[in-house]
Structure formats: C-alpha cells, structure tokens
Amino acid sequence: MPPFPIDRYLLPETPIEVPAGFTEVRQNLTAGLPHRVELGAGVHAVLILPTGLARQWLDTDPLAVVSSSADDLAPRPAPPATPRPPVLVGRVPLRLVVRQGTRILGSVPLAAGLRRVCPDAGPSAATGSAPVAVELVVLSWLLHAGTVRGSGDYGSSVALAWRPADRAVDRFGPPPINEFVWRRRPPAQRVESELGPGKLRYRYLLDKKLRRVVR
C-alpha cells in the first residue's frame, strides 16, 4: 500500500538520520548572521534571519535561545477540552538561501527533517543554461540571540546534508489521475482533500488502487 499522503508533513523520527548518498555538514555559527555554508559543486547556502528589529536583539540576553530544531521534534500536548482563542505564532523566519555564485537557486525554511531540491525549475529563462541542482536535508540547528547580534561563540550551530540532484527519485508511486477522468467518476467513488494555503490537492478513486495527483 502506498504511504499515507500527509506522512511527509508529520514530525520526523528523532534523531534525523542522514539519507544514503548525502554529505553531512555541521558548522558552529561564530561569525554571526548571515552565515555561509559551503556545500560543494560551486553551491553554497546562506543562513539568514530577516527580522528588521535590531533593538530587540540588543536588549536580549545573548545566551537566550532564539530558535532550535528541538521545538520541531518535541511531542505536542493534547489539545484542551475547551478551545482557546488563537494566538500569533512567535517562530522566527530562519531561512537558507541556496546560491550558485550570484545566482539564487532557492530558499529553504528551517524545519527539522525538511528535504528540498534547489532549484525546482528548469533552465533559466534569462541565460538558457541549467543551474546546478542540489538536494538539501535540514538536520538540526540551534540559534542564540548573541549570534543574531554579531560574531562570538554563543553555542549556535547548524547541521545540513546535501547531494547533487543528478539522479532520479528513490520513491515511486502510481501514476496521477487525469483531472477530466477523475471528474467523470460518480461522486461516491471519488475523494478530494486540500491542504494548506497553497492548495495542495490529493485525489482518490475508491474503486481502484490508491492514486493521487499533487498540485
């Protein structure tokens, strides 16, 4: 049976293992942010934190934890019986900007276990040449306020794994359903679900093997 469609959005196993064929890179963040991580094949990643709030970091304890991968891997408590009013999420927007020289290949948010290919498009429309493609896995990170303010050894670190994206995928599934074929099936034999603001859709036919189409 194919894997459950949303399994890639669930919490990963701890600790996160480096997939076969990937090269692990672990670095201490002693030069502040932005921090450059050399990957290879002329590609590097830049760790950035676009907050625009300088005074906030000047007034914060330099050893205070700003962000950690442990938050992604910690089990979530059971929801309360009485619904609570919504609150704003306080997670800082840490990102990895993947570059080949001055060309930006992609932007990857820091989420434990996230696996992303950069770039996810074809040849550049401006130059007509195909950029070097790499696949990244976010393993772990720890960021203290002192590192956001400037250089110094405050115990901050980041761990990634990467490989050239020059091979086919190692996971296979059934072919997607043609949209017109799916809509011609009786309503009782089809199921559709939608995830997230980007409208990631999955479609199923109940009278056949589990199939899906992703948009």
Side-chain angles (χ1 to χ4, degrees):
M1 180 177 178
F4 196 64
I6 64 170
D7 60 352
R8 54 177 164 172
Y9 298 102
L10 304 179
L11 291 177
E13 297 291 336
T14 55
I16 301 172
E17 297 183 357
V18 179
F22 281 72
T23 301
E24 183 178 358
V25 179
R26 292 184 178 270
Q27 292 187 358
N28 295 325
L29 310 179
T30 57
L33 295 182
H35 177 81
R36 176 167 170 155
V37 181
E38 295 292 341
L39 300 178
V43 178
H44 64 274
V46 181
L47 179 63
I48 62 172
L49 177 58
T51 65
L53 304 173
R55 184 173 295 279
Q56 171 186 341
W57 305 115
L58 295 176
D59 299 336
T60 304
D61 181 357
L63 296 181
V65 176
V66 175
S67 180
S68 172
S69 56
D71 295 336
D72 283 0
L73 304 176
R76 297 293 187 263
T82 303
R84 298 177 180 175
V87 296
L88 294 177
V89 178
R91 180 166 179 154
V92 296
L94 271 173
R95 306 191 70 84
L96 286 165
V97 178
V98 183
R99 303 173 59 182
Q100 177 188 3
T102 58
R103 171 187 286 177
I104 296 178
L105 303 181
S107 179
V108 180
L110 253 65
L114 178 64
R115 188 166 170 173
R116 184 71 59 83
V117 176
C118 294
D120 57 2
S124 170
T127 63
S129 61
V132 175
V134 297
E135 187 173 7
L136 291 181
V137 178
V138 180
L139 300 178
S140 64
W141 73 90
L142 177 61
L143 180 65
H144 291 93
T147 305
V148 181
R149 285 167 30 174
S151 60
D153 189 359
Y154 300 99
S156 302
S157 61
V158 64
L160 312 170
W162 76 280
R163 72 172 179 180
D166 55 359
R167 290 178 290 177
V169 297
D170 53 4
R171 297 180 182 178
F172 302 91
I177 309 167
N178 184 281
E179 179 180 357
F180 299 100
V181 174
W182 183 84
R183 293 189 181 279
R184 291 177 62 184
R185 304 298 298 178
Q189 295 182 359
R190 66 191 191 199
V191 177
E192 182 177 23
S193 60
E194 186 174 294
L195 299 174
K199 295 185 178 180
L200 183 63
R201 294 178 178 175
Y202 294 91
R203 294 192 178 116
Y204 309 88
L205 291 181
L206 300 182
D207 60 339
K208 294 185 178 181
K209 293 182 179 180
L210 180 65
R211 296 182 179 180
R212 70 182 185 184
V213 60
V214 181
R215 284 186 173 181

